[in-house]
Amino acid sequence: MQYPHVFLRSAAVFSAIAAFFSIPWTLAGANISLLCLVLAWLLAGDWRQRWDAARGNAVSLPLLVLYAIILLGAVYTTAPWRVVLDHWLKYDKLLLMVIAISLLAQDEKTRERCWTAFTIAALFTLASSYLSIWWRLPWSRAQTLGWGGDHSVFKDYITQSVLMALLMLRGLYLALRANVAWQRGAWLAVAALAFVCNTQLLYGRTGYVATAVAVLAFVLALVPVRRWWMALALVAVLLAGAVLLSPTIVPRVALGLKELGEVPETTTSIGPRLYFLHYGLDLFWQKPWLGWGTGAYHGEFCRIATTPEWCAAGSFHPHNQFLFFMIEHGIPGLLAFAAVFAAALWQAARMERLDRAVAFAFVGVACVGSLTHSGIWLANEGLAYSFGLVLVLTAPLRPCAKAQAGVLA
């Protein structure tokens, strides 16, 4: 892709690389890098060519439609304008994804550099998690010593589990691509260490499920259908071993099952999610066609919450991104968000074998995160999911799929 202004084009590329390097460890650095990316992208001109690059990726149009729905939700919302503006800014990741796709989709060198930047930052995070078993690192947010517990470093344990899942997939990809034995072994070790980090050194059940989904999707995408039974058996053995060896998975899962059978309390994890789901669906059915409008969830939830304590616990977000869009934007919001995942799977299906496996796996991770948390709305998780999807969904298409895309364009 050629830009009229070489300097601005280079600035956009550098800003994208800096953003992927910053996302695993600093929100401020990521936001500054993304601001620079937007400014360079806007000033560089040649928007038609960049739009063609973005339009060639199946996920771009659903992202734009979803953001348009969020903009239009301000027309009928019950929320004050400051809250509406906050939502517009929180969901600007959807637009930033399209901008990043326009840069990476037709420039494999830039995409590889972004992958490298992310991998370096994620490797430092991974190493810090293991070092924190023995030492309290000054840059680590969790100060837990010993095996097990929470060893998250720069981000909360849910966000770090997403980043480690992506690093695990990258390690598997590079190991299977490597032609040299020691390189293959090194990347397999990275993938294994990231897997162990998520299952033994982080505390979130979302991370456990996301890691299991990533491993399962990656393996099934590589193995012929007739051998799925064998692959499922091997994955089951691997995951069972991880569960049995983990000092945290069994207690956390047991606690979750216990909470399912109890009256929801604000201090638990599963209980509030069930409470938010119950009353969130109540809000959805009151206005299913258009929802309550952008930013309206916070006030409307407190209107129907049974106690002030539940209002305080649940008014921030409903711990479910699908439910969030359903409440605020009704059926159009739900369909648009589901279309993003459908388009992502379609884009992944047209890739080469290894790229397809990585993309399927991380789309699964993002779906798990959206069902168990408000992954796109939240700042740190939103960047991890959004730009992780950009990395995996901008891989080159198979020649036949590329030719078909060219005909359709």
Side-chain angles (χ1 to χ4, degrees):
M1 184 190 300
Q2 296 297 321
Y3 281 67
H5 306 291
V6 176
F7 172 78
L8 289 171
R9 198 268 182 208
S10 299
V13 169
F14 178 81
S15 299
I17 295 170
F20 281 101
F21 178 74
S22 301
I23 285 171
W25 63 280
T26 166
L27 179 61
N31 286 336
I32 293 171
S33 299
L34 290 171
L35 176 60
C36 293
L37 169 62
V38 171
L39 292 175
W41 188 88
L42 288 172
L43 294 174
D46 201 10
W47 296 335
R48 175 61 182 273
Q49 187 175 2
R50 283 175 287 153
W51 165 243
D52 289 341
R55 188 166 58 95
N57 193 292
V59 80
S60 295
L61 184 57
L63 289 171
L64 293 174
V65 170
L66 180 57
Y67 195 74
I69 291 173
I70 294 168
L71 291 177
L72 293 173
V75 175
Y76 56 90
T77 186
T78 60
W81 272 103
R82 60 178 179 77
V83 178
V84 173
L85 180 60
D86 180 63
H87 274 240
W88 284 353
L89 292 175
K90 281 184 176 292
Y91 286 123
D92 66 1
K93 307 176 193 72
L94 304 173
L95 297 180
L96 292 171
M97 286 176 70
V98 177
I99 291 175
I101 287 170
S102 73
L103 278 177
L104 274 62
Q106 290 189 342
D107 189 347
E108 185 63 17
K109 184 180 293 186
T110 296
R111 178 175 176 270
E112 284 300 318
R113 288 172 176 169
C114 289
W115 259 121
T116 300
F118 165 81
T119 303
I120 292 171
L123 283 172
F124 182 76
T125 302
L126 179 65
S128 296
S129 287
Y130 280 95
L131 290 174
S132 69
I133 296 172
W134 298 281
W135 299 285
R136 286 190 172 92
L137 305 177
W139 58 84
S140 180
R141 65 181 299 276
Q143 296 291 307
T144 307
L145 293 178
W147 189 257
D150 179 20
H151 289 269
S152 54
V153 183
F154 300 111
K155 308 291 184 178
D156 61 89
Y157 53 75
I158 295 179
T159 303
Q160 183 169 328
S161 68
V162 176
L163 298 170
M164 292 300 101
L166 185 56
L167 178 63
M168 177 187 71
L169 294 170
R170 183 60 173 174
L172 291 171
Y173 173 87
L174 292 174
L176 294 174
R177 286 283 301 270
N179 296 318
V180 182
W182 73 265
Q183 292 179 352
R184 185 180 302 113
W187 285 115
L188 281 175
V190 167
L193 289 170
F195 174 83
V196 172
C197 181
N198 269 2
T199 58
Q200 314 292 318
L201 299 179
L202 296 175
Y203 203 57
R205 283 169 293 212
T206 297
Y208 304 152
V209 176
T211 303
V213 168
V215 171
L216 182 62
F218 184 85
V219 172
L220 293 183
L222 291 178
V223 175
V225 175
R226 66 181 182 276
R227 295 183 180 176
W228 273 13
W229 66 272
M230 186 184 302
L232 288 171
L234 291 173
V235 171
V237 170
L238 174 66
L239 296 179
V243 170
L244 293 174
L245 292 173
S246 174
T248 56
I249 292 180
V250 173
R252 291 282 287 167
V253 172
L255 178 61
L257 294 175
K258 180 175 178 287
E259 292 172 5
L260 282 174
E262 297 177 343
V263 176
E265 298 180 5
T266 58
T267 56
T268 63
S269 177
I270 301 298
R273 282 174 166 82
L274 295 176
Y275 186 96
F276 303 154
L277 179 63
H278 175 79
Y279 286 96
L281 288 175
D282 186 25
L283 286 172
F284 167 70
W285 286 115
Q286 289 179 32
K287 289 191 175 184
W289 299 112
L290 292 177
W292 293 88
T294 302
Y297 166 79
H298 314 287
E300 296 302 327
F301 177 82
C302 282
R303 179 177 60 83
I304 65 169
T306 52
T307 66
E309 290 75 19
W310 277 114
C311 167
S315 61
F316 189 51
H317 66 88
H319 286 69
N320 185 317
Q321 189 65 63
F322 286 94
L323 183 62
F324 212 162
F325 283 128
M326 289 167 63
I327 294 168
E328 294 196 342
H329 305 290
I331 293 174
L334 173 62
L335 292 178
F337 192 49
V340 171
F341 285 100
L345 293 174
W346 168 246
Q347 181 72 16
R350 299 184 294 162
M351 296 175 184
E352 298 289 351
R353 182 167 167 264
L354 274 178
D355 290 313
R356 180 170 65 247
V358 172
F360 277 151
F362 194 73
V363 170
V365 171
C367 187
V368 168
S370 296
L371 288 169
T372 59
H373 223 208
S374 303
I376 305 301
W377 186 76
L378 293 167
N380 284 307
E381 285 181 53
L383 289 177
Y385 288 122
S386 299
F387 285 86
L389 287 171
V390 169
L391 283 176
V392 303
L393 294 177
T394 50
L397 303 180
R398 299 192 311 273
C400 58
K402 189 179 295 185
Q404 183 182 12
V407 171
L408 292 176

